[in-house]
Amino acid sequence: MNGFGIVTRRQMREAELFWRDLVGPARGRSPRVGEDAESFAEATPDPFECSSAGAIVVNSAVVDGMRATITQSGERLAVGAVCAGTAPSNCPSPHAPLHGSSGATASDAAHFTRLDQTTVRTAEISGLFGVDLRSVSRASRPSTPVKALPTAAPLQSLSVVAIRKSGQRAIHVARESPRRVESWVEGQQWLSLPFVPSLSYRLFKRRFWEASFHRQWGTLFTISWIAGLTNFYRDVTGVSMGVGDISHVVGEVMTDHASHRVGKDVDCYVLDDPPAGSTFPVAFWTSGSRASLELRELGAPSATATRPEYTVPSGGTAIADPRRTTLLDRYATILAYCVATQDGVEAAVWHGAPALGARALAIAQDAWDRTVAASAGTAARPGWRAAWGFGPATRTALVAARAGLLIGDGAASYNKSPGWPLHQDHIHVRLK
């Protein structure tokens, strides 16, 4: 299923403004500190030493962070761009100035170089998320799940910018303020959802052992859109939404998916809090027909499972009202955001999506009206909160889902080949 729509300049500008509001003003160079070459003299050969100058010229904080990343990764990661001079050709233009310039005596940035699909993720997981991979088999390192945000990591205070350009992969590490965590994929800026400030969501996937924060990278528009959705869902329902896979740090193949390679797909889940004594949230399975949807709880994994995975219910009693209606309204809330922002959405795929189209529109309109009544909107969008990101300018712009937006039971392209496969435990949203 290829052929994405084009996000308009207006949508991109709004996504950029939304992101700027979250992370603060434009970057500025941090003051440099003195370098201490003697502390690294014992390393031979020293990848951080400039052969021409005979001294370390990259900032010592960058050196320390990259050294610790190499150690925790368990890999012999190649290092480059450590000498002051012109930035490498694959370094994105917003980050290139941190390498200094020809003739400079010091630099605030260096690169991990010559990475491949696996080592770029290994360096990310060990350096950015702080997971010690030394005791993990080499084959398993790039897929090691990250279940919690780091409180300490080798690159905790440094900017981390993954790069894929013309088949080459690298990671730019730099000392600057404010810190940046992003990637650039063939010239397009990507962001990491876990590093968006002040978001409330649950990491989730039915193959729970595989759910990981390192699988939540996407284009700037995608991540800004998801951030707005999670805020919208929380404000409307009062609970947090589950977010699963988006893409890897520079895209490319992702296990368990034919999609999720280009930073424009996201899996959204309706969840309940874990029951007493469990760490696993309650998740749901949808079946039945468009005219009569049925919901059942997925079987929670065993607490002792090496690879915990939820099981699909086989028969049993379907969830009854009023709980059924409450849960369906939560699904409809995700769809309501898709309907309200449909200019930027390619499709929302879930077994019950077509059945809840009218309910989704009603929820979006009600959210607008409540925002107006509370005077909680923006000047440009009086019925749309700033935290909801990109959205309609007027209430009249809230219209029913266009044909092909909501895919599920009853849609011509659902459960067909070619077409969308069954989606019964989550809503898969593909953005433009």
Side-chain angles (χ1 to χ4, degrees):
M1 292 167 284
N2 298 317
F4 295 102
I6 298 175
V7 177
T8 67
R9 289 181 180 273
R10 176 175 63 84
Q11 292 167 354
M12 279 302 303
R13 177 59 177 161
E14 289 179 345
E16 289 167 359
L17 291 173
F18 181 59
W19 181 247
R20 187 188 68 184
D21 289 343
L22 287 172
V23 303
R27 60 177 57 80
R29 180 184 292 276
S30 299
R32 294 191 178 96
V33 297
E35 305 298 336
D36 179 9
E38 292 182 359
S39 63
F40 305 114
E42 71 279 2
T44 305
D46 189 339
F48 293 96
E49 183 172 329
C50 298
S51 57
S52 59
I56 300 167
V57 296
V58 70
N59 187 284
S60 61
V62 175
V63 174
D64 291 345
M66 294 181 75
R67 283 189 185 281
T69 298
I70 293 171
T71 298
Q72 288 201 176
S73 73
E75 299 280 345
R76 293 184 177 181
L77 301 174
V79 174
V82 298
C83 302
T86 304
S89 60
N90 63 355
C91 190
S93 57
H95 301 280
L98 290 166
H99 289 277
S101 59
S102 181
T105 59
S107 169
D108 281 321
H111 281 198
F112 287 120
T113 63
R114 300 196 297 275
L115 302 174
D116 57 28
Q117 285 193 52
T118 60
T119 54
V120 70
R121 296 170 196 160
T122 297
E124 170 209 358
I125 293 167
S126 59
L128 180 61
F129 288 102
V131 180
D132 193 333
L133 298 173
R134 283 174 287 186
S135 63
V136 178
S137 69
R138 189 172 191 184
S140 298
R141 288 170 186 166
S143 60
T144 300
V146 179
K147 303 294 188 184
L149 293 181
T151 55
L155 307 180
Q156 183 84 18
S157 61
L158 299 168
S159 284
V160 179
V161 182
I163 303 163
R164 177 162 66 87
K165 185 176 182 180
S166 301
Q168 297 181 341
R169 302 167 194 83
I171 294 179
H172 163 106
V173 179
R175 183 174 183 266
E176 63 178 330
S177 181
R179 180 196 189 211
R180 301 283 162 165
V181 175
E182 57 193 53
S183 61
W184 285 74
V185 181
E186 301 298 345
Q188 185 180 45
Q189 185 185 17
W190 286 31
L191 301 173
S192 175
L193 189 69
F195 291 94
V196 177
S198 303
L199 284 193
S200 175
Y201 73 93
R202 288 184 184 274
L203 176 68
F204 190 79
K205 186 172 181 176
R206 182 153 56 96
R207 289 167 56 157
F208 197 79
W209 57 272
E210 200 172 41
S212 177
F213 285 123
H214 92 280
R215 297 163 67 101
Q216 294 189 326
W217 291 81
T219 67
L220 184 151
F221 179 78
T222 295
I223 298 301
S224 297
W225 185 92
I226 298 169
L229 166 61
T230 61
N231 291 333
F232 179 83
Y233 185 90
R234 178 79 185 195
D235 289 345
V236 172
T237 68
V239 296
S240 295
M241 192 183 82
V243 181
D245 289 342
I246 305 173
S247 284
H248 281 308
V249 60
V250 289
E252 304 178 301
V253 175
M254 177 176 276
T255 57
D256 197 33
H257 293 290
S259 54
H260 291 269
R261 301 185 182 198
V262 294
K264 297 182 180 182
D265 296 82
V266 56
D267 292 339
C268 305
Y269 296 85
V270 168
L271 303 171
D272 272 344
D273 289 337
S278 174
T279 60
F280 300 110
V282 179
F284 304 95
W285 184 261
T286 316
S287 60
S289 67
R290 178 173 180 172
S292 181
L293 293 177
E294 294 182 347
L295 294 175
R296 290 175 174 80
E297 290 187 9
L298 287 166
S302 165
T304 60
T306 304
R307 288 190 166 188
E309 181 173 352
Y310 286 74
T311 56
V312 176
S314 56
T317 304
I319 296 171
D321 284 329
R323 188 185 182 204
R324 173 182 178 274
T325 297
T326 298
L327 291 172
L328 288 177
D329 276 354
R330 291 189 201 170
Y331 283 103
T333 299
I334 299 173
L335 299 177
Y337 192 83
C338 295
V339 169
T341 61
Q342 60 185 288
D343 287 349
V345 180
E346 185 74 18
V349 187
W350 170 61
H351 191 74
L356 297 185
R359 181 61 183 142
L361 178 59
I363 289 174
Q365 292 171 335
D366 182 65
W368 179 280
D369 294 340
R370 288 175 180 269
T371 302
V372 170
S375 299
T378 66
R381 298 181 174 86
W384 199 255
R385 296 174 184 265
W388 298 348
F390 164 73
T394 64
R395 193 184 192 281
T396 56
L398 286 168
V399 296
R402 69 173 190 279
L405 177 69
L406 304 181
I407 307 295
D409 185 65
S413 62
Y414 184 65
N415 198 22
K416 300 289 193 305
S417 182
W420 290 94
L422 288 167
H423 280 70
Q424 295 178 267
D425 66 333
H426 68 275
I427 299 176
H428 177 150
V429 180
R430 171 166 290 176
L431 297 163
K432 293 183 178 178

